[in-house]
Amino acid sequence: MTDDRMSVREIAKLAGVSTATVSRVYRGVGSVSAATRAKVQAAIEQYGYRPSHLGEALANRRHGALAVVFPGLSGPYFAELINGVESVAVPRQVSVHVIGTHLRREAPDELLDVARRVDGMAIHGGTVPKTVIKELAARHPVVMIGPDPHPAPIVVRTDHQAFRQLVSHLLADHGLRKLIFVGNPAGSPDLTERWDAFVAAHEELGLRPGKQFRTGLEQTHGVQAADEVLAGGYDGAVCGNDETALGLMMAVLGRGLRVPGDLVITGVDDVPMSSLVSPGLTTVARPLAELGATATRLLLDLINGADVAPETVLPSRLVRRASCGCED
Amino acid sequence: MTDDRMSVREIAKLAGVSTATVSRVYRGVGSVSAATRAKVQAAIEQYGYRPSHLGEALANRRHGALAVVFPGLSGPYFAELINGVESVAVPRQVSVHVIGTHLRREAPDELLDVARRVDGMAIHGGTVPKTVIKELAARHPVVMIGPDPHPAPIVVRTDHQAFRQLVSHLLADHGLRKLIFVGNPAGSPDLTERWDAFVAAHEELGLRPGKQFRTGLEQTHGVQAADEVLAGGYDGAVCGNDETALGLMMAVLGRGLRVPGDLVITGVDDVPMSSLVSPGLTTVARPLAELGATATRLLLDLINGADVAPETVLPSRLVRRASCGCED
DNA sequence: GTTGGGAGTGTAACCGGTTACAATTCCAAC
DNA sequence: GTTGGAATTGTAACCGGTTACACTCCCAAC
């Protein structure tokens, strides 16, 4: 039950060879005669020997692990990001620590601690104060996910043009004049950027930007926003992401109202739900898996001492469906 | 950038003491004179020294980490379970590897590998073949989460009476006669158990159990089930969990139909969304965070060599809301 | 018959901590 | 002035791997 696993020295003794030879056989490097190899392999099989990760990592001075840090873990957004991370890490035999800070106060300490067991970290914007990121980045390879500008040495983000295009589409093509922004611009750099684009799109047309309803990024927050949004007499709700948009849509439909008839709703991300619901959710498609994969690739490059571009921008794209009023 | 951190020996040299003393000061054990302690602490602070996790773990023969293994990571169910795990692990300075197997074919190898870097694992039912679990459990402390019966030495699960009670409630109190079970009983032990209870509740009243619609456990699966469920002329859809129930509800409302008027819908779990949507979702409340917390506590006990009960059952409870037809 | 070189293997140092044990110092008590 | 014991500190072994280097064979080429 408890860890009574064999060590190299024991296997070596059993096979009648030195530890060096056991290591050579297990790792398949160096030259070993066929006869010796067979002996050693037999001992390895018989006892189900697997080298301790600790010894291995200590000797290699490499943990073979990295951490991805998110504000939380719920929802398809993070799931897809993590998929992307793992699609790169797993084939390279690198294991992944997924950390959800949940904005805990002790999160910084936790990260400092987890930094001791990984070779590098990918940190999602809005998880932890900039000072902490600076401290981490000073000692360890760090890649930021999201448009966080300053403290980050290396940033991977998506283009934000498509979101501005979305707001312009609502204003110019659908003639909406009273939009509310659902999301908290102070909560994460992604949302800050989107709010700025929301304002810019209004100003470009000489309009006064609408209000914001500050709330979180989960479905529940969208549901909870419904009363206020409906009471305000808005003609459209531009949500910070698909999850709040879907939550809001569900609440609106549940009240017997129609989308887009009674309220236009849009999101960001294009998560799987968005194309399945009726009406289909107009949104901005972002390559989430690719975002996670790219961040991971860059992080591994960084760990290997390669030069890495300070900013990598992936494209995003406006997806018009029925919820904004476009025919489908 | 790369890991140029100081080692004990360097700090020791700088402070003019031995490595043993540095270790004593850092860990606050043994006796050290005030003067020496101050010298060492100064050196530690100045260089921001933190002991390498590897050296520490190797010397202690303890990783200070455990793994939780899930089929996937999306959705509030797993998020809440993970919260529970972390609520126990974090205060005890144990770090948590969250693994989503996504039912990958290479998952077993991955687990064998991750087992080398943790002290034990909590494995959610339905993630990995029983033979693999047996192999893992033979060498490492393992706790199963869910009603998986056989291969598991230690199991934490919730009571399943409330689910049966739910089905009886629909049949007996609301007089429904054509129920469909939405979920795949073969997909996970949880669902197997629910399907069995579904059948038993029917038989108890001398009724023929309804059909099943086999699908996954995410919201998207619920949405996709809508066409078939609505076409079948059912009066109620008993969903395997809240997420599919919410997806289905959204799809039904999106078609302009009413819940429970046109279709009764129920779930399991009582995730946060379920009490917020309108109509409120009738469901079975399960103490998810407590489930994760308990599994973690037992796992840590097991790692510490304590005796642990083979099965721990937590209560679940029927929650009636509007979606089954009860007044709200 | 040497010599040279490659293949096979072992020895021992090292990665970065912890800790049992020994050694030293200091002081109080006799 | 001894002696005994507590407090402080250092030495060195150990955790479990990897690998530079040295050593021993063996065989072909001169």
Side-chain angles (χ1 to χ4, degrees):
Chain A
M1 185 76 77
T2 38
D3 216 345
D4 50 358
R5 287 218 317 280
M6 312 241 79
S7 75
V8 231
R9 329 233 180 218
E10 297 176 90
I11 294 291
K13 185 160 297 172
L14 288 166
V17 300
S18 72
T19 64
T21 299
V22 173
S23 179
R24 279 190 277 254
V25 169
Y26 191 88
R27 318 188 50 246
V29 302
S31 64
V32 180
S33 75
T36 310
R37 182 189 316 282
K39 260 194 317 188
V40 174
Q41 239 146 15
I44 289 178
E45 303 253 318
Q46 181 178 353
Y47 296 95
Y49 168 73
R50 290 202 139 210
S52 147
H53 169 68
L54 291 173
E56 196 178 292
L58 190 54
N60 295 333
R61 274 177 270 170
R62 170 137 323 175
H63 291 83
L66 44 83
V68 263
V69 183
F70 296 124
L73 297 180
S74 78
Y77 172 72
F78 295 115
E80 193 58 16
L81 230 34
I82 293 172
N83 275 346
V85 170
E86 296 197 328
S87 73
V88 171
V90 170
R92 300 210 210 176
Q93 316 258 53
V94 173
S95 84
V96 178
H97 271 251
V98 179
I99 315 281
T101 64
H102 301 283
L103 307 176
R104 272 195 286 262
R105 187 146 350 110
E106 332 80 57
D109 271 332
E110 231 177 300
L111 291 197
L112 253 6
D113 190 76
V114 95
R116 299 189 313 144
R117 27 181 117 216
V118 297
D119 300 314
M121 7 200 8
I123 305 180
H124 194 278
T127 53
V128 97
K130 297 195 177 192
T131 55
V132 177
I133 294 181
K134 271 194 177 126
E135 192 176 338
L136 284 168
R139 295 188 191 296
H140 308 276
V142 167
V143 170
M144 292 295 297
I145 300 176
D148 220 338
H150 231 6
I154 314 286
V155 172
V156 181
R157 39 164 299 171
T158 54
D159 161 32
H160 60 282
Q161 286 309 314
F163 182 76
R164 178 156 167 182
Q165 199 181 330
L166 164 67
V167 181
S168 300
H169 171 64
L170 299 180
L171 296 171
D173 302 342
H174 291 296
L176 304 182
R177 281 297 171 269
K178 196 164 180 205
L179 297 179
I180 183 168
F181 181 90
V182 180
N184 181 4
S188 87
D190 284 299
L191 271 281
T192 312
E193 187 180 76
R194 283 172 212 162
W195 168 251
D196 291 344
F198 181 81
V199 172
H202 279 79
E203 288 175 347
E204 190 182 28
L205 295 171
L207 299 170
R208 263 236 325 268
K211 297 232 168 197
Q212 47 181 247
F213 178 77
R214 302 197 173 196
T215 186
L217 290 168
E218 300 181 9
Q219 267 191 17
T220 51
H221 299 121
V223 176
Q224 290 169 317
D227 281 333
E228 181 127 350
V229 169
L230 289 171
Y234 297 98
D235 45 19
V238 175
C239 299
N241 67 356
D242 281 4
E243 294 181 64
T244 49
L246 291 166
L248 177 58
M249 186 185 289
M250 191 153 186
V252 169
L253 296 175
R255 282 169 173 70
L257 300 173
R258 311 297 304 169
V259 175
D262 296 304
L263 184 72
V264 160
I265 297 178
T266 66
V268 172
D269 282 343
D270 197 22
V271 301
M273 279 288 283
S274 304
S275 58
L276 293 172
V277 294
S278 44
L281 184 65
T282 290
T283 186
V284 171
R286 302 171 68 212
L288 299 179
E290 187 52 31
L291 194 60
T294 304
T296 308
R297 259 191 296 269
L298 293 182
L299 183 53
L300 292 174
D301 286 351
L302 202 57
I303 290 168
N304 290 326
D307 279 341
V308 173
E311 190 177 54
T312 304
V313 180
L314 302 178
S316 59
R317 178 176 51 83
L318 174 58
V319 177
R320 299 189 218 170
R321 299 203 181 95
S323 77
C324 67
C326 286
E327 324 299 320
D328 205 347
Chain B
M1 184 75 77
T2 39
D3 215 346
D4 49 358
R5 288 217 317 280
M6 311 242 76
S7 75
V8 233
R9 330 234 178 216
E10 298 176 89
I11 294 290
K13 185 159 294 172
L14 289 165
V17 300
S18 72
T19 62
T21 299
V22 174
S23 179
R24 280 190 278 255
V25 170
Y26 192 88
R27 317 188 50 245
V29 302
S31 65
V32 180
S33 75
T36 312
R37 182 188 317 282
K39 259 194 317 187
V40 174
Q41 239 146 17
I44 288 178
E45 303 254 317
Q46 181 177 354
Y47 296 95
Y49 168 73
R50 291 201 138 212
S52 148
H53 168 68
L54 291 174
E56 198 177 291
L58 191 54
N60 294 333
R61 275 178 268 168
R62 172 139 318 178
H63 292 82
L66 44 82
V68 262
V69 183
F70 294 125
L73 297 179
S74 79
Y77 173 72
F78 295 114
E80 194 58 16
L81 230 35
I82 293 172
N83 276 346
V85 170
E86 296 196 328
S87 73
V88 171
V90 170
R92 300 210 209 175
Q93 316 257 57
V94 173
S95 84
V96 178
H97 272 250
V98 179
I99 314 280
T101 63
H102 300 286
L103 306 177
R104 271 194 287 262
R105 188 148 344 116
E106 332 79 58
D109 272 333
E110 230 176 301
L111 291 197
L112 254 5
D113 190 77
V114 94
R116 300 189 311 144
R117 29 180 115 215
V118 297
D119 300 314
M121 10 202 5
I123 306 181
H124 194 279
T127 53
V128 98
K130 297 195 176 191
T131 56
V132 177
I133 294 181
K134 272 195 177 125
E135 191 176 340
L136 284 168
R139 296 189 191 297
H140 309 275
V142 167
V143 170
M144 292 296 298
I145 300 177
D148 220 339
H150 232 6
I154 314 286
V155 172
V156 182
R157 39 165 298 172
T158 54
D159 162 32
H160 62 280
Q161 285 310 314
F163 183 76
R164 179 156 165 182
Q165 200 181 331
L166 164 67
V167 181
S168 300
H169 171 64
L170 299 181
L171 297 171
D173 301 343
H174 291 296
L176 303 183
R177 282 297 172 270
K178 197 164 180 203
L179 298 179
I180 183 168
F181 180 90
V182 180
N184 180 6
S188 88
D190 283 299
L191 271 279
T192 312
E193 186 180 76
R194 284 172 211 160
W195 168 252
D196 291 344
F198 180 81
V199 171
H202 279 78
E203 288 174 348
E204 188 181 30
L205 294 171
L207 299 171
R208 265 237 326 268
K211 298 229 168 197
Q212 46 180 251
F213 179 77
R214 302 197 171 197
T215 185
L217 289 167
E218 300 182 9
Q219 267 192 17
T220 50
H221 299 120
V223 176
Q224 290 169 317
D227 281 333
E228 182 128 348
V229 169
L230 289 171
Y234 296 98
D235 45 20
V238 175
C239 299
N241 68 354
D242 281 4
E243 295 181 63
T244 48
L246 291 166
L248 176 59
M249 185 186 289
M250 191 156 188
V252 169
L253 295 174
R255 283 169 173 70
L257 300 173
R258 311 297 303 169
V259 175
D262 296 303
L263 184 73
V264 160
I265 297 178
T266 67
V268 172
D269 283 343
D270 198 22
V271 301
M273 277 288 283
S274 304
S275 59
L276 293 172
V277 293
S278 44
L281 183 67
T282 289
T283 185
V284 171
R286 302 170 69 211
L288 299 178
E290 188 51 30
L291 194 60
T294 303
T296 309
R297 259 191 296 269
L298 293 182
L299 184 53
L300 292 174
D301 286 351
L302 204 56
I303 290 168
N304 290 326
D307 278 341
V308 173
E311 190 178 53
T312 304
V313 180
L314 302 178
S316 59
R317 177 177 51 83
L318 174 59
V319 176
R320 300 189 218 169
R321 298 205 181 93
S323 77
C324 67
C326 286
E327 323 300 320
D328 205 350

